[in-house]
Amino acid sequence: MTTQTQPLRIGLLLFPGFQSLDAFGPIDCLNVLSNDHPLTLSILSHTLDPVSTRPPQSPHRLGQSVLPTHTFATAPELDVLLVPGGQGTRIPDAEAILAAVDFIRDVYPSLKYLITVCTGSSLAARAGILDGRKATTNKAVFRETESWISSSGGKVEWIPKARWVVDGNVWTSSGVSAGIDVLLAWMKSVYGGHVARGVAEAIEYTRHEEAGDDPFARSYGLV
């Protein structure tokens, strides 16, 4: 793609209990990419209060907080929305999660790309974005997520052995570190293989370069 058509405006959606590497693995790849390619980053949540990685249901777990730049109501126009997962997604009726699902549903039609990491795919599924699409998610909770979304009326074709899945302009990935792989794969698609390779080398990361290269599907008895 040319510089003029490459997505420049990135949004990172956060909620209490998001998984830190889900968010910051991909974001660090984008930080490196921005050395040579102009990008903007907006950090979005339902309020401007600091958002902690500490899950609400695990008050004694270590956590770090991130300050949003925008609320969902004041979000700028975006080309790409990145949605991490984490234990916070497992409190489905929490105000922040309901707001996140609504935001994904509302903003998706104007996006060039939606990228989810881990159980972030469950939020996209709840928003109806994954209906009729292939998708994947964290393998440790794969069957649980599949069952929950199905019982809620979602019609998603969940792929158990996949590091990431691409269906149209929606990219979903497996758990946690897979967010780096899906972001590098997306980067290869958009900017070229040499750019993705350069970023991987800059962060000294050994990539899964095939979407079906998913060792954790076997670890969790999915294949």
Side-chain angles (χ1 to χ4, degrees):
M1 299 177 69
T2 66
T3 300
Q4 288 74 24
T5 59
Q6 287 173 343
L8 302 176
R9 300 165 298 182
I10 313 294
L12 172 64
L13 184 154
L14 296 184
F15 50 84
F18 74 94
Q19 184 76 27
S20 56
L21 190 60
D22 284 11
F24 288 103
I27 290 302
D28 204 35
C29 293
L30 292 170
N31 288 344
V32 174
L33 179 67
S34 69
N35 287 328
D36 300 303
H37 298 272
L39 303 172
T40 64
L41 174 64
S42 301
I43 301 175
L44 314 169
S45 191
H46 72 304
T47 74
L48 290 177
D49 295 334
V51 186
S52 177
T53 61
R54 182 183 294 113
Q57 67 271 47
S58 302
H60 301 297
R61 179 174 170 174
L62 289 176
Q64 301 80 43
S65 294
V66 177
L67 193 64
T69 60
H70 299 80
T71 68
F72 297 144
T74 64
E77 292 186 10
L78 300 171
D79 297 306
V80 181
L81 181 64
L82 176 64
V83 182
Q87 289 191 30
T89 64
R90 303 177 76 177
I91 309 178
D93 295 327
E95 179 183 0
I97 294 300
L98 293 174
V101 170
D102 287 343
F103 178 72
I104 295 168
R105 182 186 300 115
D106 292 343
V107 78
Y108 174 72
S110 64
L111 297 176
K112 292 180 180 178
Y113 301 98
L114 174 65
I115 303 173
T116 73
V117 183
C118 192
T119 55
S121 57
S122 69
L123 302 184
R126 291 182 62 188
I129 308 304
L130 301 186
D131 281 349
R133 295 183 187 270
K134 296 178 180 179
T136 198
T137 193
N138 184 305
K139 300 311 182 291
V141 293
F142 186 90
R143 294 303 184 198
E144 177 184 337
T145 302
E146 180 183 44
S147 176
W148 176 48
I149 296 299
S150 176
S151 66
S152 301
K155 297 176 174 60
V156 184
E157 184 179 348
W158 294 103
I159 308 300
K161 189 175 186 295
R163 189 69 173 165
W164 70 86
V165 170
V166 184
D167 193 324
N169 67 344
V170 179
W171 298 61
T172 58
S173 74
S174 189
V176 195
S177 64
I180 301 175
D181 289 319
V182 72
L183 202 287
L184 291 170
W186 168 84
M187 200 178 291
K188 177 181 177 180
S189 173
V190 174
Y191 293 91
H194 66 292
V195 173
R197 269 193 312 276
V199 171
E201 290 174 1
I203 64 172
E204 298 193 11
Y205 181 72
T206 301
R207 301 161 61 190
H208 292 76
E209 297 197 51
E210 299 296 328
D213 181 9
D214 181 10
F216 299 102
R218 185 173 301 280
S219 297
Y220 288 102
L222 299 174
V223 293

